[in-house]
Amino acid sequence: MLQFDTLIIGSGLAGLTLALKLADRQKIGLITKRALLDGASGWAQGGIAAVLSGEDTQEAHTQDTLLAGAGLCDEAATRYVVEHGKRSIEWLIQQGVPFTRDNTSDTGYHLTREGGHDRRRIFHAADATGHAVQKTLIEKVLKHPNITVLEAYMSVDLITGKKLGLSDNRCYGAYALNTATDEIVTISAQNTILATGGSGKVYLYTTNPDTATGDGIAMAWRAGCRIANMEFIQFHPTCLYHPHAKSFLISEAVRGEGGILKLPDGTRFMPKHDTRAELAPRDIVARAIDYEMKKGGFDCVYLDISHQSVEFLQEHFPNIFARCLKLGINISQEPIPVVPAAHYTCGGIVTDLSARTDVSNLYAIGETAYSGLHGANRLASNSLLECLVFADAAAQDILSRAQQSAPLLPEWDDSQVRDADEHIVISHNWAELRHFMWDYVGIVRTNKRLQRAQHRVQLLQKEIDEYYANFHISADLLELRNLVTNADLIVQSALSRHESRGLHYSRDYPETLAVPSPTILTPR
């Protein structure tokens, strides 16, 4: 059995930040199911929204967030995050993150603007902010003597008092599969943090990495935590449409710097959908693109930034410029083919302002959590900010609490199962799940589509539960099991919302209710 003061499951910005903020006073275990850089944080292009400029205000950032969230943001959580934005950026600068400089700005840094923001407030490192931040923090994590990094370890399930037959509702650690050896290890910890990201891989088309299988959300649900607002899946409007460009995102900042969305014949279409045109929030832009594609029978639409100079594009979007050029698209001379794709899970595990869940000693931070910040639609570049702010909040709460005694945890028992005889069941079920979620639970929904999806989810759950009970587990089986749980939560949430709001648009309920309320699911 491995023992730590704090176990962090996930190596994105939230997990790395928390590890560094605890490590001087605690022994930390950080597990990640692939390599440290493989999470969604490293893929973030745009940047981090925060108010440091004298030309901006916290109230303006707060109002932009509340407006994008379509009435469902928790105002206390929103103000808490915005108020701590300056401190979070300053901490990253202290760590050595190379944000793009601009000596003409009163901050000393170049600030860009993205959809839904009424002014420039996005700190960025060219168009690869996530990679720059992750690389900087990973170097510090690997050097810290109190942090043990376990790569290629996938969490199986949380160990709670309820599962141990105890009277308390406390988390004592987790079981994890070493995917290199196929051994399951028991990890004991005073505190356990879920920082596992979202569930974008439940959809056929997504901007997310392969690791985004909703593991933390599913484990928390099985452990007895409430889950909220899972119907609000953000579809990023502009994913590169090319057969060899798997999950490559064209940053929101391209539209922030003047990119225009056009139909194949060159006609601009966003102004007729929203007065903010290309700078409308993501839900509006994604729905507009989806509408135009279906109306015209198009495979994609086009994002045109060719009016900017080559020098400007190479300075501000070096990775996008290079990737497109490698695929034969010169963005200084021609528009970029784009389509919407599943991008961000706005709902998740219900937490308070200290990132605590319904289970004692269990925390959730980042995309896997529902802090109340994002409401019915996430404002661009608020996600990395949320990771930083709530990692700091969790660290403060953990360090303020006394150590507790813990029971000896049982080893994983697989004596009653056997090796699987057919692995094709997993791959077939995975493909079926992602296809029907895309077809039935996508950008535009109907009751009939959702009911079809629910029926198929229930059939898959039964098959997977039987498979899980009888065979040795694998990483593919664990991910499929977690994805089906996430799909079930998304469909349940969508069926219970009898209105259209933010990212959830229903043809059966096109109106918006006067009094908004979050969708909160409670385990039986």
Side-chain angles (χ1 to χ4, degrees), residues 256-303:
E257 296 295 343
I260 301 298
L261 284 163
K262 298 179 178 179
L263 299 177
D265 66 1
T267 303
R268 186 184 185 188
F269 60 87
M270 274 310 302
K272 72 180 182 183
H273 290 275
D274 193 280
T275 57
R276 292 163 290 185
E278 281 77 13
L279 290 177
R282 289 176 176 175
D283 60 326
I284 294 170
V285 180
R287 261 199 313 278
I289 294 173
D290 183 69
Y291 172 84
E292 295 293 345
M293 285 173 58
K294 287 175 178 172
K295 178 185 174 186
F298 309 132
D299 291 329
C300 65
V301 296
Y302 293 86
L303 180 59

Side-chain angles (χ1 to χ4, degrees), residues 60-347:
H61 187 184
T62 299
Q63 291 304 319
D64 286 349
T65 302
L66 295 176
L67 182 62
L72 272 185
C73 297
D74 181 282
E75 188 165 342
T78 301
R79 292 189 181 278
Y80 181 83
V81 172
V82 170
E83 288 165 7
H84 287 77
K86 181 174 185 287
R87 174 176 167 178
S88 297
I89 292 292
E90 289 172 343
W91 183 78
L92 287 178
I93 292 170
Q94 290 169 7
Q95 306 311 305
V97 173
F99 290 117
T100 299
R101 306 289 304 217
D102 181 358
N103 293 331
T104 66
S105 166
D106 64 350
T107 65
Y109 293 91
H110 182 268
L111 305 179
T112 191
R113 183 183 173 195
E114 297 182 345
H117 292 271
D118 76 339
R119 62 196 75 182
R120 290 178 176 268
R121 64 168 65 98
I122 315 299
F123 283 77
H124 64 102
D127 63 345
T129 308
H131 181 82
V133 173
Q134 289 294 94
K135 188 171 180 291
T136 302
L137 298 189
I138 284 171
E139 288 175 0
K140 291 186 173 290
V141 162
L142 292 175
K143 291 176 182 176
H144 204 293
N146 285 349
I147 301 176
T148 300
V149 175
L150 300 172
E151 290 188 314
Y153 275 73
M154 183 176 177
S155 47
V156 178
D157 246 333
L158 299 169
I159 304 171
T160 62
K162 190 180 293 184
K163 290 181 180 177
L164 296 175
L166 303 176
S167 58
D168 66 352
N169 187 32
R170 178 179 157 195
C171 183
Y172 291 98
Y175 293 112
L177 172 69
N178 180 336
T179 57
T181 65
D182 285 335
E183 294 175 305
I184 295 179
V185 298
T186 306
I187 306 177
S188 173
Q190 287 284 321
N191 306 285
T192 301
I193 289 81
L194 297 170
T196 54
S199 51
K201 292 299 286 187
V202 78
Y203 285 99
L204 183 62
Y205 301 111
T206 177
T207 64
N208 290 180
D210 291 340
T211 54
T213 51
D215 304 329
I217 294 170
M219 287 191 295
W221 177 252
R222 292 194 290 266
C225 292
R226 288 171 300 153
I227 306 294
N229 279 14
M230 287 296 287
E231 68 270 39
F232 298 116
I233 302 295
Q234 187 177 80
F235 288 80
H236 197 288
T238 53
C239 184
L240 179 60
Y241 180 73
H242 191 282
H244 304 301
K246 181 185 178 184
S247 305
F248 188 73
L249 182 67
I250 304 300
S251 169
E252 187 105 5
V254 173
R255 284 180 284 127
E257 296 295 343
I260 301 298
L261 284 163
K262 298 179 178 179
L263 299 177
D265 66 1
T267 303
R268 186 184 185 188
F269 60 87
M270 274 310 302
K272 72 180 182 183
H273 290 275
D274 193 280
T275 57
R276 292 163 290 185
E278 281 77 13
L279 290 177
R282 289 176 176 175
D283 60 326
I284 294 170
V285 180
R287 261 199 313 278
I289 294 173
D290 183 69
Y291 172 84
E292 295 293 345
M293 285 173 58
K294 287 175 178 172
K295 178 185 174 186
F298 309 132
D299 291 329
C300 65
V301 296
Y302 293 86
L303 180 59
D304 193 352
I305 189 75
S306 62
H307 57 277
Q308 296 282 15
S309 68
V310 173
E311 293 75 21
F312 178 93
L313 295 172
Q314 289 181 327
E315 178 186 355
H316 290 274
F317 308 112
N319 291 288
I320 294 173
F321 189 94
R323 182 66 182 274
C324 288
L325 196 61
K326 189 175 181 181
L327 294 169
I329 305 165
N330 186 337
I331 69 173
S332 69
Q333 298 177 9
E334 60 188 310
I336 308 165
V338 293
V339 292
H343 182 60
Y344 192 86
T345 307
C346 288

Side-chain angles (χ1 to χ4, degrees), residues 430-446:
W430 183 298
E432 181 187 349
L433 173 70
R434 297 181 68 206
H435 274 89
F436 73 66
M437 285 297 290
W438 182 261
D439 291 339
Y440 299 149
V441 200
I443 295 172
V444 176
R445 299 162 179 174
T446 66

Side-chain angles (χ1 to χ4, degrees), residues 6-12 14-15 18 31 155-159 171 173-174 191-197 214-223 225 227 348-351 355 357 359 361-370 390 394 398:
T6 293
L7 169 65
I8 300 171
I9 303 174
S11 63
L18 181 58
I31 71 173
S155 47
V156 178
D157 246 333
L158 299 169
I159 304 171
C171 183
N191 306 285
T192 301
I193 289 81
L194 297 170
T196 54
D215 304 329
I217 294 170
M219 287 191 295
W221 177 252
R222 292 194 290 266
C225 292
I227 306 294
I349 307 159
V350 174
T351 62
T357 72
V359 174
N361 298 75
L362 178 66
Y363 297 76
I365 50 178
E367 190 176 351
T368 203
Y370 166 76
F390 282 104
I398 289 168

